[in-house]
Amino acid sequence: MESMPKWSSSSSSCKARDETLHIVMFPWLAFGHMLPFLELSKLIAQNGHRVSLISTPRNIHRLPKLPPNLSPLINLVKLQLPKVDQLPQNAESTLDLPHHKVKYLMKAYDQLQQPMSQILSDLSPHWVIYDFAPYWFGPLASKLGISRVFFSVCVAPALCFLGPVPVLKRTSGEDDRTTPEDFTAKPKWIPFESKIGFKLFEIKSFFNDTSTNYANVPITFRFGAGIEACDVLAVRSSYEFEPEWLKLMEEVHMKPVIPIGQLPSSAYDDSFDETWYTMKESKWLDKQSNKSVVYVAFGGDTKPSQTQLTEIAFGLELSELSFFWVLRNRRGVDDTEVTELPDGFEERTKERGVVYTNWAPQLKILSHDSVGGFLSHSGLSSVVEALQFGKSLILLPFMADTGLIARHLEEKKMACLVPRDERDGSFTRNSVADSLRLVMVEEEGRIYRDKAKEMSGLFGNRAIQDKYVNNFVDYLKKHRPELAQEE
């Protein structure tokens, strides 16, 4: 363990010191989780409060550099993962592993209970904010008398769909869903009309994950234990976006629910920005017409199969649209299933497309005027980054939770989903091409372009975002243990 905080005990006044919070953040080891936790940390620090964000050394090194004005208030605590059989050396996030080996990362993560107990005892924070994965973290903090926030980086409808704690932990017979087919429709505790639900191929994958892929502790149990142990639920959402779902979350879980806004990403490391602006790929974007380019990326945790990759490639070719594709064809050194583009694809499309195989600054690409649409896996961070710049969404979800996000956005006319076979999830190059052209250029798809522009006023509005975080911080201040006792 490294980088324990050395907070100054001095302050301008006793009153200021007494009102300052110290909050510990503990995200799951996926960048789709760590980055929202970091963004929330920065917003809390802007309010003058101290944050200790705990992760592994390699992950902390890969996080965006902190702004100089906030770095004194945010301590990045490095915690070494224990060695676990079949977990490759230096594999510290889901980015480093093929999907079938994520269970070993979770196994190592679950072995952090004893060192985390020591860290919490040493730091004595007012609050901890934790993710879905450490089902043991909430009870551990509770035993130490620390107040607890369960932070969902997913949309409110997904948590509502999964159900209350007894359903999540399978401790009651309240859930009558017993087959994959049962999960393709909304459950009985959602009282209003909604198309929210899994496709059959998504829920089959989810069933497999909960039974085998997460160190023998199902995902749903992890959610249930985390929510059960918390004092308050924080969700990456807003009343402007999904008011009915936020209200339902409080009814389902019978706990305070506080939306903290969409957490639009702030700028990446300036040193990398300077490098990016001199690269040929950046200069290629500068030469393209306004809103003519489709940006293609499927996140750090998603790697399409060879069959899927082939259909996506041919779909891009058939669409005749310009594209910028950040292609990840391997997940870590232990991934033996390296995917390849169709023969001759890059040569045939070199006049109107870029295939980029290194890490790219997604925020910079999406903010570029030449980019008009985003073909994405529907990860919430990617969705927020696209909408904050008014980019239209074409979605191809590959994992269960992203399917729920995609369906929610589709229901709001905020995204177009590529048509797929509902049983096996297959799709064709023609369906990819047709969806891209619909959203990017055809008159029938104007609704998606208009909606993206409209939602940029919400997802990219820093004043609205600050309002939600300020409200959240006020709640934490009002309900921190020693203040509650004084009242």
Side-chain angles (χ1 to χ4, degrees):
M1 183 179 68
E2 307 173 31
S3 301
M4 290 298 287
K6 298 178 176 62
W7 306 117
S8 171
S9 61
S10 63
S11 66
S12 58
S13 68
C14 180
K15 184 177 186 293
R17 184 176 65 246
D18 287 346
E19 291 180 349
T20 298
L21 295 173
H22 180 199
I23 297 166
V24 163
M25 296 276 197
F26 190 46
W28 165 231
L29 305 177
F31 278 88
H33 292 246
M34 288 183 278
L35 291 175
F37 269 76
L38 179 64
E39 203 64 46
L40 180 58
S41 298
K42 290 191 288 187
L43 292 168
I44 290 172
Q46 283 179 6
N47 280 261
H49 302 287
R50 299 176 287 140
V51 179
S52 295
L53 190 149
I54 301 171
S55 194
T56 65
R58 188 162 185 242
N59 287 332
I60 285 176
H61 178 73
R62 291 185 287 186
L63 289 174
K65 186 184 296 184
L66 292 170
N69 65 312
L70 298 181
S71 57
L73 290 170
I74 301 176
N75 193 69
L76 302 176
V77 180
K78 299 175 183 177
L79 183 59
Q80 193 68 51
L81 276 178
K83 295 185 182 301
V84 168
D85 287 343
Q86 300 189 62
L87 181 64
Q89 188 175 8
N90 295 325
E92 296 184 9
S93 83
T94 56
L95 191 70
D96 305 321
L97 294 163
H99 187 67
H100 70 277
K101 290 203 168 185
V102 172
K103 59 186 173 184
Y104 304 118
L105 183 67
M106 186 71 84
K107 185 175 182 180
Y109 187 75
D110 285 344
Q111 291 181 21
L112 293 174
Q113 296 181 44
Q114 192 283 325
M116 280 303 309
S117 178
Q118 185 61 53
I119 287 175
L120 292 180
S121 295
D122 292 343
L123 293 177
S124 297
H126 299 102
W127 287 88
V128 293
I129 300 178
Y130 59 93
D131 212 332
F132 84 96
Y135 66 97
W136 42 268
F137 189 79
L140 187 157
S142 178
K143 288 179 181 178
L144 294 171
I146 302 168
S147 298
R148 302 160 304 284
V149 179
F150 180 94
F151 174 31
S152 171
V153 302
C154 196
V155 291
L159 276 185
C160 291
F161 183 88
L162 293 177
V165 167
V167 169
L168 291 166
K169 295 181 71 177
R170 296 291 177 187
T171 57
S172 78
E174 185 177 343
D175 193 357
D176 53 9
R177 300 176 292 184
T178 58
T179 68
E181 287 78 5
D182 294 335
F183 287 82
T184 60
K186 70 181 181 74
K188 60 189 178 184
W189 50 80
I190 297 179
F192 43 80
E193 286 301 313
S194 174
K195 295 179 182 177
I196 196 77
F198 291 111
K199 297 300 182 185
L200 193 58
F201 72 91
E202 294 168 343
I203 192 59
K204 284 181 177 178
S205 170
F206 189 71
F207 268 33
N208 290 337
D209 280 349
T210 57
S211 62
T212 62
N213 281 359
Y214 287 88
N216 297 318
V217 181
I219 295 174
T220 50
F221 183 91
R222 291 176 184 274
F223 270 98
I227 292 171
E228 184 176 45
C230 77
D231 297 300
V232 60
L233 279 158
V235 60
R236 190 178 185 179
S237 183
S238 66
Y239 292 114
E240 293 88 347
F241 181 46
E242 45 193 17
E244 71 280 20
W245 292 102
L246 291 168
K247 182 175 183 294
L248 181 60
M249 268 188 70
E250 287 199 327
E251 295 170 0
V252 167
H253 293 296
M254 295 182 289
K255 290 192 175 186
V257 171
I258 303 180
I260 57 171
Q262 267 70 43
L263 297 180
S265 300
S266 52
Y268 290 111
D269 185 348
D270 288 341
S271 62
F272 187 89
D273 288 349
E274 293 173 8
T275 304
W276 167 251
Y277 287 130
T278 65
M279 292 170 64
K280 63 179 183 180
E281 289 82 9
S282 174
K283 294 182 182 297
W284 180 87
L285 278 174
D286 292 339
K287 297 175 184 177
Q288 308 310 307
S289 302
N290 190 50
K291 295 189 180 300
S292 65
V293 177
V294 179
Y295 174 55
V296 184
F298 298 106
D301 291 339
T302 302
K303 191 191 82 173
S305 68
Q306 182 61 64
T307 298
Q308 292 168 337
L309 180 72
T310 299
E311 294 304 306
I312 292 167
F314 280 124
L316 284 167
E317 189 172 351
L318 285 170
S319 76
E320 300 184 344
L321 296 166
S322 299
F323 64 87
F324 191 111
W325 189 354
V326 176
L327 174 62
R328 187 165 185 238
N329 57 4
R330 188 174 189 178
R331 287 183 58 164
V333 295
D334 264 37
D335 189 354
T336 57
E337 298 179 4
V338 181
T339 53
E340 297 180 351
L341 292 167
D343 289 342
F345 171 79
E346 288 184 86
E347 178 64 25
R348 292 192 303 273
T349 61
K350 64 181 180 181
E351 298 301 322
R352 60 179 177 84
V354 168
V355 177
Y356 190 68
T357 55
N358 294 318
W359 184 88
Q362 180 162 288
L363 200 68
K364 291 295 179 187
I365 296 170
L366 284 170
S367 66
H368 201 284
D369 289 342
S370 68
V371 174
F374 186 14
L375 177 58
S376 166
H377 64 306
S378 196
L380 189 55
S381 289
S382 291
V383 165
V384 170
E385 287 185 349
L387 291 175
Q388 75 182 93
F389 296 112
K391 309 303 182 182
S392 307
L393 292 168
I394 310 97
L395 301 179
L396 251 178
F398 293 98
M399 301 177 73
D401 64 323
T402 56
L404 292 179
I405 295 170
R407 216 123 304 117
H408 182 46
L409 296 170
E410 180 185 42
E411 192 169 37
K412 288 179 170 288
K413 304 298 183 186
M414 292 169 61
C416 172
L417 273 63
V418 175
R420 305 172 79 159
D421 184 295
E422 296 198 4
R423 299 198 67 82
D424 64 15
S426 61
F427 54 89
T428 68
R429 59 196 68 178
N430 288 321
S431 65
V432 172
D434 291 345
S435 299
L436 290 171
R437 291 197 61 81
L438 172 69
V439 172
M440 290 291 292
V441 297
E442 293 178 3
E443 186 60 32
E444 288 181 41
R446 180 174 293 279
I447 185 173
Y448 301 111
R449 301 191 291 274
D450 290 345
K451 198 69 175 177
K453 184 178 180 181
E454 175 192 337
M455 296 310 295
S456 67
L458 170 61
F459 281 64
N461 190 310
R462 302 305 305 193
I464 292 177
Q465 177 59 69
D466 289 345
K467 176 190 72 173
Y468 278 103
V469 171
N470 292 344
N471 180 63
F472 177 57
V473 170
D474 286 345
Y475 182 94
L476 299 185
K477 287 170 62 178
K478 183 177 180 181
H479 294 87
R480 84 178 190 181
E482 63 268 35
L483 290 184
Q485 290 172 6
E486 290 173 9
E487 293 174 358

